[in-house]
């Protein structure tokens, strides 16, 4: 039972354009959402997060949008850079549960 | 200065052996975790420790035994290794704080059981 889903296994974007990565969840108890970036042979690196009391959080080129009614969040990267090529994982948690539930990841490739 | 470190980075061993993976964090966090990334690339929690106390055990076989000697360390011992244990194991840590569950991950230990 996959509670967090990233339905696009891969995404290819031109350098300088916007990258949009999507994530859906089924558990309405989730109240904190995160995006992690992962390079090969490395651990996931925290990128940006959002609490369920917000619908947008921005950090430089990265913006996360949360639509609670649709149980959907997205990560926007603009402008996309070659160094952004990695696997992006969406994760969700319930406050106090002390565990993250991950999506299966989306491989983002930025083409020069 | 690495925030969350794991040793070894690679581990190749025979079925039936016993092995350990070590994890240390220097972030001053009070909670540590073990995750497993299987061949399908899903990252799933195995264990969570808060202040050396086991909080989460996600139906992991009892061949897996975590040990937390102090808040900065969480080791994973695996008995009688099986082929299906081949995976990448990630350690993580966080500071328990209402409203945030940001976890910071180590580089992973790639375990191959032959």
């Amino acid at each position: 039972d996959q509670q967090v889903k990233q339905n696009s296994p891969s995404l290819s974007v031109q350098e300088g354009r916007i990258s949009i990565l999507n994530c859906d969840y089924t558990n309405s108890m989730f109240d904190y959402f995160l995006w992690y970036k992962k390079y090969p042979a490395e651990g996931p690196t925290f990128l940006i997060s959002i609490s369920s009391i917000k619908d947008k959080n921005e950090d430089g080129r990265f913006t996360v949008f949360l639509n609670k009614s649709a149980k959907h969040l997205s990560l926007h990267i603009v402008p996309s850079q070659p160094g952004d090529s990695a696997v992006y994982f969406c994760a969700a948690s319930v406050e106090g549960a002390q565990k993250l539930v991950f999506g299966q990841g989306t491989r983002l490739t930025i083409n020069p | 200065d690495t925030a969350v470190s794991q040793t070894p980075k690679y581990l190749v061993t025979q079925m039936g052996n016993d092995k350990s993976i070590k994890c240390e964090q220097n972030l001053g966090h009070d909670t540590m975790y073990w995750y497993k990334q299987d061949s399908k690339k899903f990252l799933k929690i195995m264990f969570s420790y808060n202040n050396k106390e086991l909080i989460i055990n996600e139906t992991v076989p009892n061949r897996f035994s975590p040990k937390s000697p102090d808040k900065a360390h969480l080791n994973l011992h695996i008995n009688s290794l099986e082929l299906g244990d081949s995976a990448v194991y990630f350690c993580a840590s966080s500071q328990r704080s209402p409203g945030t569950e940001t976890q910071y991950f180590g580089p992973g230990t790639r375990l191959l059981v032959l």
Side-chain angles (χ1 to χ4, degrees):
Chain A
D1 175 29
Q2 193 67 13
Q3 297 184 65
V4 178
K5 295 181 183 177
Q6 294 175 254
N7 292 317
S8 298
S10 63
L11 177 66
S12 189
V13 174
Q14 205 71 22
E15 182 179 357
R17 300 286 184 109
I18 184 170
S19 296
I20 301 176
L21 297 106
N22 294 303
C23 178
D24 297 296
Y25 61 96
T26 56
N27 187 345
S28 56
M29 297 293 292
F30 287 143
D31 54 10
Y32 190 62
F33 304 89
L34 309 91
W35 284 94
Y36 284 84
K37 176 180 178 178
K38 186 181 180 306
Y39 292 120
E42 293 184 12
T45 303
F46 171 69
L47 203 53
I48 193 169
S49 63
I50 189 167
S51 163
S52 61
I53 60 173
K54 294 185 174 180
D55 53 20
K56 177 182 174 182
N57 189 25
E58 195 171 348
D59 183 1
R61 296 186 298 114
F62 303 92
T63 303
V64 55
F65 294 93
L66 174 63
N67 183 333
K68 288 187 290 293
S69 59
K71 294 193 180 69
H72 177 84
L73 66 155
S74 61
L75 175 68
H76 292 209
I77 306 172
V78 55
S80 300
Q81 299 174 353
D84 297 330
S85 294
V87 177
Y88 289 78
F89 289 95
C90 165
S93 72
V94 176
E95 182 177 337
Q98 291 190 276
K99 72 175 187 181
L100 294 177
V101 180
F102 282 85
Q104 58 270 57
T106 296
R107 181 177 300 279
L108 175 64
T109 302
I110 306 301
N111 301 309
Chain B
D1 53 343
T2 307
V4 182
S5 60
Q6 295 178 229
T7 54
K9 190 162 186 179
Y10 299 95
L11 188 51
V12 181
T13 188
Q14 300 286 333
M15 256 184 5
N17 283 351
D18 303 339
K19 289 293 178 186
S20 292
I21 308 171
K22 294 186 177 181
C23 178
E24 176 180 2
Q25 54 96 4
N26 62 7
L27 296 167
H29 290 163
D30 59 4
T31 307
M32 295 185 72
Y33 312 80
W34 278 109
Y35 284 83
K36 178 180 179 181
Q37 186 178 32
D38 60 23
S39 56
K40 294 183 180 176
K41 306 302 181 187
F42 285 106
L43 260 165
K44 290 186 178 174
I45 186 145
M46 300 172 68
F47 300 103
S48 161
Y49 267 74
N50 179 259
N51 284 317
K52 303 195 301 175
E53 181 184 346
L54 179 65
I55 303 297
I56 292 175
N57 179 340
E58 287 282 308
T59 61
V60 177
N62 56 17
R63 296 183 296 105
F64 290 78
S65 51
K67 294 268 190 310
S68 182
D70 55 58
K71 282 194 331 181
H73 296 85
L74 180 62
N75 304 322
L76 184 64
H77 188 77
I78 315 170
N79 288 328
S80 304
L81 278 155
E82 300 178 356
L83 294 176
D85 297 333
S86 296
V88 184
Y89 293 85
F90 290 100
C91 176
S93 74
S94 70
Q95 181 61 32
R96 195 171 187 180
S97 176
T100 66
E101 296 283 347
T102 303
Q103 297 179 17
Y104 296 88
F105 285 78
T109 296
R110 284 138 193 86
L111 172 65
L112 177 60
V113 183
L114 302 174

